[in-house]
Amino acid sequence: MLEDVERWLNTRSWAVDDRPLKKLIAAKRSANSTVSVVLPALNEEETVGEIVAVIRRELMTRKVPLVDEIVVIDSGSTDRTSEVAAEAGARVVHRDEILPRIPAVPGKGEVLWRSLLVTSGDIVCFIDADLKEFSADFVSGIVGPLLTDPGVDLVKAMYDRPLGSAAGQGGRVTELMARPLLNMHWPQLAGFVQPLGGEYAARRSLLEQLPFPVGYGVELGMLIDALHLVGLDSLAQVDVGVRKHRHQDGQALGRMAATIYRTAQLRLARGHLVRPEITQFVRGEDGFEPRTHSVDMEERPPMAEIAEYVERKAA
């Protein structure tokens, strides 16, 4: 491991208990900072309500005013995601209502990018909407360093990811694709335990300068681009315990891995994929049948280049 990474692990990797809530509230008041929490959601009626309720109950009270707003961005749910989130106390915005001048495309990164236009916090915290047994530590843990250390610009959550009854076996795309890519091509990022994790927080001033891959590659792309823009010492991670969520099947993971590879490839050479598709196989009545899926190719520009966002900031 690089000496820089070893030093970084000792100085920029923390546990949630390192910063008690009282310390965070005092730092927030002293800096006059505001915090927005964003949940990108697609058919998450079983989990989104509890996540919103926990954040409101534990981090949005008079005694603990850590979070100023919680916004659920619904990207086209066909279940009761929007209703459940609203009933739990979130402000719900549909993806297609944000920046209608630019037609929306499917993808998590698309939702996160658009969320910058409908939130106002100096610090923006992203939380996946499929988490089970959710703890408010996921929010307070990753927001903490941004409130207490002005030299930190982006914080990723790190955690154990059990797969069924097997501890530490979650994150298969991370171990089979993302971690090897980072270690080989961006070794300064080799210290991140969960580089693809969907729970992270960043200063708005950084997020508005970053391009956003529209799909699953958004976390990897953001981490690499942030490294180049602000440097390793501006990045950090916090241990928040255990992350439980629903797991994807093998073919979905294959498509995710292809998107991760494509995101890395663009950042290595800014070139073009020879074939921006991935073919997988399923067994049918007559044997194995091919199923071809396109790989996300599009990226959204830094929000600071969008006229509507610039006008909103100036207002």
mmCIF file of all heavy atoms in Angstrom, residues 74 94-100 104 114:
data_model
loop_
_atom_site.group_PDB
_atom_site.id
_atom_site.type_symbol
_atom_site.label_atom_id
_atom_site.label_comp_id
_atom_site.label_asym_id
_atom_site.label_seq_id
_atom_site.Cartn_x
_atom_site.Cartn_y
_atom_site.Cartn_z
ATOM 1 N N ASP A 74 -38.252 10.790 -6.433
ATOM 2 C CA ASP A 74 -38.865 9.594 -7.010
ATOM 3 C C ASP A 74 -38.579 9.569 -8.500
ATOM 4 O O ASP A 74 -38.923 10.507 -9.222
ATOM 5 C CB ASP A 74 -40.366 9.603 -6.744
ATOM 6 C CG ASP A 74 -41.016 8.268 -7.072
ATOM 7 O OD1 ASP A 74 -40.518 7.570 -7.975
ATOM 8 O OD2 ASP A 74 -42.037 7.932 -6.446
ATOM 9 N N HIS A 94 -40.673 14.599 -7.996
ATOM 10 C CA HIS A 94 -40.475 13.630 -9.062
ATOM 11 C C HIS A 94 -39.325 14.073 -9.944
ATOM 12 O O HIS A 94 -39.189 15.254 -10.276
ATOM 13 C CB HIS A 94 -41.750 13.466 -9.905
ATOM 14 C CG HIS A 94 -41.723 12.252 -10.788
ATOM 15 N ND1 HIS A 94 -41.006 12.209 -11.973
ATOM 16 C CD2 HIS A 94 -42.288 11.030 -10.652
ATOM 17 C CE1 HIS A 94 -41.150 11.014 -12.529
ATOM 18 N NE2 HIS A 94 -41.922 10.281 -11.741
ATOM 19 N N ARG A 95 -38.509 13.123 -10.321
ATOM 20 C CA ARG A 95 -37.337 13.408 -11.157
ATOM 21 C C ARG A 95 -37.680 14.253 -12.380
ATOM 22 O O ARG A 95 -36.955 15.197 -12.733
ATOM 23 C CB ARG A 95 -36.722 12.077 -11.610
ATOM 24 C CG ARG A 95 -35.576 12.184 -12.592
ATOM 25 C CD ARG A 95 -35.382 10.861 -13.318
ATOM 26 N NE ARG A 95 -36.564 10.527 -14.106
ATOM 27 C CZ ARG A 95 -36.838 9.314 -14.587
ATOM 28 N NH1 ARG A 95 -36.022 8.311 -14.320
ATOM 29 N NH2 ARG A 95 -37.928 9.095 -15.307
ATOM 30 N N ASP A 96 -38.791 13.934 -13.054
ATOM 31 C CA ASP A 96 -39.118 14.602 -14.318
ATOM 32 C C ASP A 96 -39.575 16.044 -14.131
ATOM 33 O O ASP A 96 -39.648 16.799 -15.104
ATOM 34 C CB ASP A 96 -40.196 13.820 -15.062
ATOM 35 C CG ASP A 96 -39.709 12.436 -15.470
ATOM 36 O OD1 ASP A 96 -38.476 12.202 -15.406
ATOM 37 O OD2 ASP A 96 -40.539 11.595 -15.838
ATOM 38 N N GLU A 97 -39.876 16.420 -12.887
ATOM 39 C CA GLU A 97 -40.295 17.799 -12.628
ATOM 40 C C GLU A 97 -39.107 18.739 -12.466
ATOM 41 O O GLU A 97 -39.266 19.957 -12.452
ATOM 42 C CB GLU A 97 -41.148 17.843 -11.355
ATOM 43 C CG GLU A 97 -42.440 17.047 -11.458
ATOM 44 C CD GLU A 97 -43.166 16.977 -10.127
ATOM 45 O OE1 GLU A 97 -42.608 17.474 -9.115
ATOM 46 O OE2 GLU A 97 -44.268 16.417 -10.078
ATOM 47 N N ILE A 98 -37.911 18.170 -12.341
ATOM 48 C CA ILE A 98 -36.711 18.963 -12.112
ATOM 49 C C ILE A 98 -35.998 19.193 -13.444
ATOM 50 O O ILE A 98 -35.699 18.248 -14.158
ATOM 51 C CB ILE A 98 -35.752 18.246 -11.141
ATOM 52 C CG1 ILE A 98 -36.486 17.832 -9.861
ATOM 53 C CG2 ILE A 98 -34.561 19.126 -10.810
ATOM 54 C CD1 ILE A 98 -35.676 16.896 -8.977
ATOM 55 N N LEU A 99 -35.746 20.434 -13.768
ATOM 56 C CA LEU A 99 -35.042 20.791 -14.994
ATOM 57 C C LEU A 99 -35.685 20.135 -16.225
ATOM 58 O O LEU A 99 -35.048 19.383 -16.965
ATOM 59 C CB LEU A 99 -33.565 20.381 -14.898
ATOM 60 C CG LEU A 99 -32.589 21.042 -15.879
ATOM 61 C CD1 LEU A 99 -32.550 22.544 -15.689
ATOM 62 C CD2 LEU A 99 -31.199 20.450 -15.711
ATOM 63 N N PRO A 100 -36.990 20.410 -16.454
ATOM 64 C CA PRO A 100 -37.689 19.760 -17.570
ATOM 65 C C PRO A 100 -37.117 20.099 -18.949
ATOM 66 O O PRO A 100 -37.397 19.394 -19.920
ATOM 67 C CB PRO A 100 -39.125 20.278 -17.418
ATOM 68 C CG PRO A 100 -38.997 21.533 -16.624
ATOM 69 C CD PRO A 100 -37.851 21.314 -15.695
ATOM 70 N N ALA A 104 -35.152 13.709 -18.862
ATOM 71 C CA ALA A 104 -34.486 12.809 -17.926
ATOM 72 C C ALA A 104 -34.249 11.451 -18.566
ATOM 73 O O ALA A 104 -34.992 10.998 -19.433
ATOM 74 C CB ALA A 104 -35.322 12.658 -16.664
ATOM 75 N N ARG A 114 -29.857 15.912 -10.479
ATOM 76 C CA ARG A 114 -30.999 16.821 -10.463
ATOM 77 C C ARG A 114 -31.347 17.273 -9.051
ATOM 78 O O ARG A 114 -31.922 18.353 -8.865
ATOM 79 C CB ARG A 114 -32.213 16.159 -11.130
ATOM 80 C CG ARG A 114 -32.047 16.017 -12.646
ATOM 81 C CD ARG A 114 -33.179 15.244 -13.312
ATOM 82 N NE ARG A 114 -32.863 15.036 -14.718
ATOM 83 C CZ ARG A 114 -33.297 15.806 -15.716
ATOM 84 N NH1 ARG A 114 -34.104 16.834 -15.459
ATOM 85 N NH2 ARG A 114 -32.946 15.562 -16.962
#
